[in-house]
Amino acid sequence: MPEFEKKYKKTSHEIHDEELIEKDDFGSTPEEIEKNTTAVLEKYDREANVRIYKGISRRIVRLLFVLFSLYSVFLLFYPGEIRMERASFVGLIVLLVFINFPATRHLPKKVNFIPWYDIILMALAFVAYGYFVLNYREIINRGIMLKPVEVWLGVIGILVTLEACRRAVGFPIVIVASVFIVYAMTQKSLRMNVYNLFYTADGIIGTPIRACLNFIVLFVIFGAFLDKTGITQFFIELANSIAGASSGGPAKVAVISSALCGMVSGSSVGNTVTTGSVTIPMMKKTGYKPEFAGAVEAAASTGGQIMPPIMGAAAFLMVEYVTMPDIVVNYGYIAVRAILPAVLYFAGIFMMVHLEAKKNGLTGIPREQLPQFWPLFLKKGFLLLPLVALVYFLMTRTMAFAAIAASCLAMAVSMVFKETRIIRITYTDETGYRIDFSRFIDALENGAKSTLTVGVACAVAGIIACVITTTGIGSSLISIIIGASGGYKIVALFLTMLTCIILGMGVPTTANYVIMATTCAPVLIRMGIPSIAAHMFVFYFGIVADITPPVALAAYAGAAIAHGSPMRTGVNATKLAIAAFIIPYILALNPAMVFVDTTAIEVIAIVVTSLVGMFALSMALEGFYRGMLPPVLRIVAAVGGLMLIYPGTVTDIVGLVLVGVVIGFQIMKGKQLKKA
C-alpha cells in the first residue's frame, strides 16, 4: 500500500472507522481530529449543531428520520392533492427540526433532552399543519373565507416555520422573510395574508417546496448513499494521483477534490471541513501559509455549488424559474450552460495556486508516497458509476427516476468493495449468514437530516416569493434598481451584485438561489438580459457570499482548521475566487459564454480565449510569471485577461496582444538573467 494511503485513509466522516492522519497540527490522534472537526462544523455550519440522543431515544429518533425519507419517496410515487402532500411534507420537516436542533448553539447539550418550550412548539406545529392536512378540501372550497380558528392556526404555522428556519438555517433569511411579511401586512388584511402565505400553493408550500419534494430530497438522499460508498476518499486519492507530486501539489489536490466532492455535498462549509481536514494540513506541510491554505479549500469548496451535475441542487430549481423563448428548459439545458463558467472558476483557482507555489518555490508530495492513477482507477473507478448513471438518466429520463436509479446503483457498487459496502453480509456460527443494513439505514437517516435544512429554507423562501408576487413589491424593486442605474446595464449589474451578496450571507445554496431568483433576476431580465444569463448571474453572487467578508462562513471554517486569521483567509479566498466576480458580468453582457445565440466554432474560441484570459488574470493577481511582475505589467496582464474572457473578436485580439507582450517580456527577462 502506498505511503499516502497509510496516512490519509478516510475522510472526516469516517474517522471513527480508521485512522485519517497520523499526526498533524489539526490534532495528533484520530479522536482529537474528530473532536476538532466537529467543533468547527458546529461553529460555522448549523447543520452540525444538533441535539445528542443515546440508547432507546437514539433509536427512536433514527427511526423517525428513516421513516421521513421513506415517506418522501412514497409521496413521489403516490402523490395526493398538492396542498395536502406539501403541507404534510413541510409539517414533518418542522417537527423534525425541533427534535434535531436546539434553540441556540450556546445552550449546554444534555443527552436525550428536549426542553418544555420545544415540546410546546412541536405541539403547535403538529396542530397547525395537521389541521391543514385533514381539512384541506374544505379550506380549498371556502377559499379566502377562513374561519377565525384557521386564521390563528395559519399564524401559528407561519411563526413555527420561521423559528424552525432560524434554528436550522440562521437569522439572515428569517429577517428578510419577516421584513417581507411586515410589508405584506401593510398592503392586505391578516386573513388575506394568512391565506396566501399558509394555505395556498404560492406561499410556504409553493414552488420551492414543490422542487424540494419532487427533486431535491431525492438527490439529497442519493448524495447520502453516494457518501457511504467511500467516494470522498476516492476523490482525494484520485486528486493526489493527478496533481499531488506537482509544484504546490496539495493545494491543487484541494482544488480538484473539493470540486468533485462539492458538487455532491451541497454545502460550502461542510465540504470545506470534510476535505479540508485532509488537504489543509497537507498544504501547510508543503509550505503554504495558513491563511492561503484555508482560502484555497474554502474557495474550491464553495465552487462545488456551481459544478454540474448537482450544483447544490440549484440546477433543479432553475428548471422551475428559467424561461427562454421557444426553448424547453430542462435539467440538461441548465447543466450544459453551467459547464464553461464552472471550468473557468476552478481553472482560475488552479492557476493561482500553481503560480503561488512557483513564486515561493513550493514542491509537491514525493511521488513514491502517492497512489498511482491507473492502479487506483482500476481498483475503485467503479465508484463513479452512480454519478455517470445519474447524468445519463438526467439527460434521458425523469429527474425522479435518475435519482432513484443512481441511489440503487450506489448501493450496488458499494457491495463489491468490502471497506465501504452499504449492506454487509457476514457469517456467524450461531446464526449463519446475517445481513447488516446499518449503513443503508445511516444513508436514509443522513439524507433526511440534510433535507431538513434545505426543506425549511425552501418553505421560508416561498414566503418571500409569495409576498413579491401578491403585493407587487417585485415591480417596485425592479423600478428602483433600474432608476438608480440610469438604464445602464453595468450599473444595474453592480447594484444587483451587492444585493445578492448581502442577501446571500449565511443562507444555504438552495434558499439563496430562490431569494435571488425572485428578487434580483427579474431586474436583469427587464433590462434585456436573457433569462438563463440573469439567473446564473444572481446564483453566482449569492454563492460567493460564503467566502466574501464579513460573513464568509466557508472561509472562517477553513481558517479554523488552518489556525489562521479568519479575515485574511476570507480576503485570500475572495482573491482566489476572482473568476466568480468576473464571469457573471461577462455572461450577462455577452451570453455566448452560456451558449446563447452562438455557434460551435465560437464556443471553442470562447473556451480557449477564456482559459488564456484566466491565466493572465492569475498572473496579475499573483504578480508572478517566471519571476516577479512589475506593477505596470500586472495591470497590462489584468486588462488583457479581462478582454480575453469577454467574448468578442476585437477584444480577443487586443487581449492576446497584451498578454503576449507580458509573457514575452518575462521570457526575455529570464533569458537575460540566465546569461548574466
Side-chain angles (χ1 to χ4, degrees):
M1 179 181 290
E3 183 65 22
F4 174 81
E5 290 193 43
K6 294 179 181 178
K7 295 183 69 177
Y8 302 97
K9 187 62 180 175
K10 291 287 180 183
T11 66
S12 62
H13 283 172
E14 297 183 344
I15 290 174
H16 62 282
D17 292 333
E18 297 184 51
E19 183 173 278
L20 172 65
I21 300 175
E22 289 179 348
K23 186 175 182 179
D24 58 49
D25 57 2
F26 190 46
S28 58
T29 66
E31 290 76 16
E32 291 178 3
I33 297 171
E34 183 176 21
K35 180 180 178 181
N36 289 327
T37 301
T38 302
V40 172
L41 278 171
E42 288 183 353
K43 184 174 182 180
Y44 297 107
D45 189 358
R46 286 185 173 270
E47 291 185 59
N49 183 42
V50 297
R51 300 189 196 277
I52 300 174
Y53 295 101
K54 293 183 179 180
I56 186 65
S57 297
R58 171 77 180 95
R59 288 192 287 272
I60 292 173
V61 172
R62 179 180 170 91
L63 177 62
L64 290 175
F65 281 114
V66 171
L67 291 176
F68 173 74
S69 288
L70 296 176
Y71 179 68
S72 300
V73 176
F74 171 81
L75 286 179
L76 185 68
F77 290 99
Y78 298 97
E81 199 279 333
I82 58 172
R83 298 197 206 189
M84 182 277 291
E85 67 171 3
R86 294 182 197 175
S88 65
F89 179 70
V90 177
L92 289 174
I93 286 176
V94 172
L95 287 173
L96 290 174
V97 165
F98 288 125
I99 290 174
N100 198 49
F101 293 94
T104 173
R105 69 181 66 186
H106 303 296
L107 290 175
K109 290 190 175 180
K110 299 180 181 180
V111 178
N112 299 337
F113 176 75
I114 300 179
W116 61 269
Y117 49 83
D118 279 354
I119 295 175
I120 293 177
L121 288 174
M122 290 166 61
L124 291 174
F126 179 80
V127 171
Y129 280 98
Y131 181 89
F132 186 9
V133 170
L134 294 175
N135 298 277
Y136 70 93
R137 291 190 185 279
E138 182 183 348
I139 293 173
I140 291 173
N141 292 333
R142 283 192 279 106
I144 186 59
M145 302 306 295
L146 298 176
K147 299 176 182 178
V149 67
E150 292 169 345
V151 173
W152 291 111
L153 284 175
V155 171
I156 291 171
I158 294 170
L159 292 177
V160 294
T161 303
L162 289 172
E163 169 59 14
C165 187
R166 183 196 67 80
R167 295 187 183 201
V169 182
F171 268 113
I173 186 175
V174 175
I175 292 174
V176 173
S178 299
V179 170
F180 274 89
I181 291 174
V182 171
Y183 175 80
M185 291 300 298
T186 65
Q187 303 299 307
K188 297 183 178 182
S189 66
L190 175 63
R191 174 181 281 126
M192 178 65 77
N193 280 311
V194 168
Y195 178 72
N196 289 334
L197 295 177
F198 192 72
Y199 292 109
T200 70
D202 297 318
I204 285 178
I205 57 173
T207 298
I209 283 296
R210 179 180 68 184
C212 183
L213 177 58
N214 292 346
F215 310 127
I216 296 173
V217 64
L218 291 175
F219 287 93
V220 169
I221 294 174
F222 163 70
F225 276 108
L226 193 64
D227 180 63
K228 288 299 178 181
T229 67
I231 199 169
T232 302
Q233 174 197 352
F234 172 61
F235 281 153
I236 295 175
E237 292 177 354
L238 191 67
N240 267 281
S241 69
I242 295 171
S246 61
S247 298
K252 296 174 183 176
V253 169
V255 175
I256 296 172
S257 60
S258 296
L260 295 172
C261 297
M263 67 180 177
V264 177
S265 74
S267 169
S268 300
V269 176
N271 191 29
T272 298
V273 176
T274 299
T275 57
S277 61
V278 175
T279 59
I280 290 175
M282 290 166 59
M283 282 188 272
K284 291 180 65 179
K285 288 177 182 177
T286 307
Y288 284 103
K289 295 179 180 179
E291 290 79 9
F292 191 85
V296 170
E297 184 57 54
S301 295
T302 299
Q305 312 301 295
I306 61 175
M307 188 72 177
I310 305 297
M311 295 174 63
F316 312 121
L317 278 170
M318 282 190 185
V319 173
E320 301 284 339
Y321 285 102
V322 175
T323 57
M324 296 293 289
D326 303 321
I327 295 176
V328 177
V329 178
N330 54 24
Y331 166 82
Y333 181 87
I334 300 295
V336 168
R337 279 147 186 80
I339 291 174
L340 180 55
V343 168
L344 290 178
Y345 178 88
F346 284 104
I349 299 176
F350 195 89
M351 293 169 184
M352 290 187 71
V353 299
H354 174 75
L355 293 174
E356 177 77 11
K358 289 291 187 181
K359 181 169 67 176
N360 293 291
L362 305 181
T363 59
I365 301 171
R367 189 167 292 279
E368 60 271 14
Q369 296 183 12
L370 296 171
Q372 297 180 7
F373 177 83
W374 284 114
L376 173 65
F377 189 82
L378 292 174
K379 179 184 178 183
K380 300 183 180 180
F382 66 90
L383 293 174
L384 295 174
L385 288 176
L387 276 177
V388 174
L390 176 69
V391 175
Y392 173 76
F393 288 132
L394 282 171
M395 297 296 184
T396 59
R397 305 291 289 272
T398 65
M399 286 191 277
F401 179 89
I404 294 173
S407 297
C408 293
L409 188 56
M411 286 187 283
V413 299
S414 71
M415 289 296 293
V416 302
F417 193 46
K418 64 180 181 180
E419 295 180 20
T420 59
R421 59 181 50 175
I422 292 177
I423 301 175
R424 293 185 290 264
I425 302 177
T426 58
Y427 183 83
T428 62
D429 293 335
E430 296 81 7
T431 61
Y433 286 101
R434 180 175 65 87
I435 299 177
D436 182 1
F437 286 92
S438 60
R439 284 178 180 263
F440 177 81
I441 300 300
D442 284 344
L444 289 175
E445 179 187 11
N446 293 339
K449 287 182 176 179
S450 298
T451 301
L452 296 186
T453 302
V454 176
V456 76
C458 283
V460 173
I463 292 177
I464 299 171
C466 180
V467 173
I468 291 174
T469 302
T470 57
T471 63
I473 190 175
S475 299
S476 300
L477 290 173
I478 292 173
S479 301
I480 291 172
I481 293 180
I482 292 178
S485 68
Y488 292 100
K489 285 185 180 179
I490 189 68
V491 178
L493 289 170
F494 180 76
L495 294 175
T496 304
M497 177 194 74
L498 294 180
T499 304
C500 291
I501 292 176
I502 293 172
L503 292 180
M505 289 180 177
V507 179
T509 302
T510 309
N512 187 333
Y513 169 68
V514 172
I515 297 173
M516 303 305 121
T518 53
T519 58
C520 299
V523 177
L524 305 182
I525 295 172
R526 177 75 69 86
M527 298 195 72
I529 294 173
S531 180
I532 180 64
H535 282 269
M536 284 288 185
F537 183 93
V538 299
F539 177 54
Y540 265 61
F541 280 117
I543 293 301
V544 297
D546 279 345
I547 53 174
T548 306
V551 188
L553 295 182
Y556 293 167
I561 298 174
H563 302 300
S565 165
M567 190 57 66
R568 289 180 184 175
T569 302
V571 172
N572 277 325
T574 302
K575 184 177 75 170
L576 286 167
I578 189 65
F581 292 87
I582 297 173
I583 291 171
Y585 281 95
I586 305 302
L587 61 85
L589 295 172
N590 191 334
M593 183 170 283
V594 286
F595 313 144
V596 174
D597 297 329
T598 187
T599 64
I601 295 176
E602 290 175 337
V603 168
I604 295 173
I606 289 170
V607 172
V608 174
T609 56
S610 296
L611 288 173
V612 176
M614 282 309 308
F615 185 71
L617 276 177
S618 300
M619 288 192 301
L621 291 170
E622 286 294 326
F624 182 87
Y625 175 71
R626 295 195 172 193
M628 300 302 295
L629 286 175
V632 174
L633 287 185
R634 293 181 70 172
I635 295 173
V636 173
V639 173
L642 289 173
M643 286 190 162
L644 282 167
I645 293 174
Y646 187 92
T649 303
V650 175
T651 55
D652 287 347
I653 293 173
V654 175
L656 283 171
V657 171
L658 294 177
V659 175
V661 168
V662 175
I663 292 176
F665 180 85
Q666 288 297 99
I667 291 175
M668 292 176 59
K669 181 180 176 181
K671 290 180 177 179
Q672 291 174 357
L673 290 175
K674 285 183 179 180
K675 290 180 180 179

